Amino acid sequence: MKLSEIYKSTVPVLSFEVFPPKPEVPLENVMRLIGSLKQYSPSYISVTYGAGGSSRGRTIEIASRIKQEHGLEPVAHLTCVGQTCGEMDRILAELKENGVSNVLALRGDPPREQPEFDFLRGEFKYASELIEYIRSRGSFGIAAAAYPEGHRDSRYIDEDWENLKLKVDSGVDLLVTQLFYDNRLFYHFRDTVRKMGITVPIVPGVMPIFNSRQIRRILSLCGASMPPDVFMMLDKYGESDQDMYRAGVEYAIHQIQDLMSEGVDGIHLEVMNRPELAEDVLKGLSGAKGKFSA
Ligand SMILES: Cc1cc2nc3c(=O)[nH]c(=O)nc-3n(C[C@H](O)[C@H](O)[C@H](O)COP(=O)(O)OP(=O)(O)OC[C@H]3O[C@@H](n4cnc5c(N)ncnc54)[C@H](O)[C@@H]3O)c2cc1C
């Protein structure tokens, strides 16, 4: 089912995000995870694309197997990094052959070993160009990324949201946001871009905090901010992985409850390839199954 159909639902849509394991780790681990996520009847599961396209083959394989082995709807992330039109055609053909009909189209970040990587010299400079290309190549449902605090490359937040409008106008069906821990940022972002004429569903990306080192690293990479209550939570529980995990799950439950009370289109839960994280968060949203569209 295409993303535009999925989001016609009148109740919030539940979706998950998983990532391909490192090359030396067998794919069966992530396939087992996906099997365990099935019990929550997610409307789709998205599979990230390694920075610099490093996990390209695995993203396509996992997305294909989500469809074929579990009968769930996959969304394959794709990036512009080092990508030519010819390669993109091959990827899209392979996805189509395997029944994957939705993608999340991104610019991507510079490969780790090439921090000076220049997107402006590539065939696709911005996500909007990739989106326009995919739109012209067939009938894929297309999601794109959005940043409630503005993308870190943008000098002005407003400028990033102007670029977001251009991106949506190039053929986007759905926006999924970068993680954030202060819901007020999301509400302000949503209100502002709605006034700018962005009408597609906007789904908050929620990443439960389960480890203080990891969340500090992720925030420093993506440029999202740490609100004072998260700062205090890390201070209080950061030394104990067990206590941090419990506090992080609790925070995510409250965050999602608040988002749902404000009528979000859905929740995109980044489960960090940990089935227990999905279980503990969804259990905490008592009766979660009835709250989301299946
Ligand atoms: C939900 C989500 C999923 C993600 N999944 C992955 C993944 O699987 N793999 C991965 O490598 N990364 C992933 N990322 C990270 C993403 O690749 C980075 O944030 C990247 O730096 C920007 O990608 P984008 O698609 O948002 O870029 P763009 O929309 O192209 O924006 C990048 C920057 O360029 C600016 N810009 C856009 N258009 C123009 C224009 N026409 N002129 C001038 N400036 C412009 C924007 O304002 C922004 O500052 C994900 C991010 C999110 C939020």
Side-chain angles (χ1 to χ4, degrees):
M1 196 192 286
K2 294 276 170 52
L3 288 168
S4 53
E5 284 298 313
I6 291 173
Y7 283 92
K8 279 186 182 155
S9 162
T10 50
V11 266
V13 167
L14 174 67
S15 56
F16 295 121
E17 181 173 298
V18 301
F19 55 84
K22 290 194 180 121
E24 62 275 16
V25 177
L27 272 197
E28 296 322 309
N29 292 8
V30 76
M31 294 318 298
R32 261 198 303 279
L33 159 76
I34 288 158
S36 74
L37 295 177
K38 200 172 169 177
Q39 62 183 301
Y40 308 112
S41 310
S43 294
Y44 62 91
I45 296 182
S46 84
V47 188
T48 67
Y49 204 68
S54 53
S55 66
R56 184 175 311 174
R58 291 200 133 187
T59 300
I60 298 171
E61 188 178 346
I62 296 168
S64 305
R65 290 179 64 180
I66 287 176
K67 181 79 176 192
Q68 287 153 10
E69 293 174 20
H70 293 291
L72 293 170
E73 212 50 62
V75 172
H77 295 207
L78 299 175
T79 72
C80 301
V81 184
Q83 207 67 263
T84 62
C85 296
E87 277 161 359
M88 192 47 66
D89 284 342
R90 280 190 288 280
I91 291 172
L92 294 175
E94 195 176 340
L95 290 174
K96 204 168 187 176
E97 241 169 61
N98 286 290
V100 181
S101 48
N102 295 295
V103 297
L104 199 162
L106 301 139
R107 185 196 69 176
D109 287 315
R112 210 170 292 162
E113 64 284 5
Q114 293 178 59
E116 302 306 315
F117 183 87
D118 184 3
F119 284 97
L120 299 182
R121 297 176 70 174
E123 286 192 32
F124 301 108
K125 298 172 184 58
Y126 298 108
S128 54
E129 295 180 5
L130 181 59
I131 289 160
E132 211 173 316
Y133 190 77
I134 297 172
R135 214 11 112 223
S136 74
R137 281 303 191 259
S139 55
F140 283 93
I142 306 177
Y147 303 83
E149 300 178 67
H151 185 271
R152 64 179 308 169
D153 287 358
S154 292
R155 191 167 158 80
Y156 300 105
I157 293 174
D158 291 357
E159 194 178 280
D160 184 46
W161 295 350
E162 293 293 341
N163 290 330
L164 180 68
K165 173 79 169 77
L166 296 177
K167 179 157 77 172
V168 171
D169 291 346
S170 62
V172 167
D173 299 304
L174 165 72
L175 290 173
V176 182
T177 75
Q178 177 168 271
L179 60 90
F180 56 89
Y181 292 104
D182 181 345
N183 286 354
R184 293 173 305 174
L185 296 168
F186 175 81
Y187 301 138
H188 173 66
F189 160 74
R190 188 178 60 171
D191 289 351
T192 309
V193 301
R194 288 277 182 248
K195 283 183 196 140
M196 289 164 62
I198 292 181
T199 56
V200 295
I202 303 175
V203 176
V206 175
M207 183 188 284
I209 297 169
F210 66 94
N211 175 299
S212 66
R213 290 171 303 284
Q214 183 147 14
I215 198 60
R216 284 181 206 279
R217 196 179 70 83
I218 290 171
L219 292 178
S220 71
L221 288 174
C222 76
S225 63
M226 187 188 291
D229 40 356
V230 170
F231 189 83
M232 274 158 27
M233 186 171 81
L234 296 193
D235 238 15
K236 190 166 175 190
Y237 302 110
E239 295 297 308
S240 154
D241 285 353
Q242 220 176 18
D243 292 347
M244 189 67 247
Y245 178 88
R246 267 194 237 108
V249 164
E250 198 61 24
Y251 195 93
I253 292 167
H254 287 130
Q255 187 180 10
I256 294 172
Q257 281 168 335
D258 185 67
L259 289 164
M260 297 204 21
S261 75
E262 291 289 329
V264 285
D265 296 306
I267 297 291
H268 190 61
L269 193 58
E270 301 180 39
V271 296
M272 307 306 290
N273 285 17
R274 291 169 155 246
E276 73 280 10
L277 202 53
E279 183 182 345
D280 290 336
V281 170
L282 292 174
K283 209 166 56 193
L285 293 167
S286 55
K289 274 187 183 164
K291 290 197 163 90
F292 292 103
S293 100

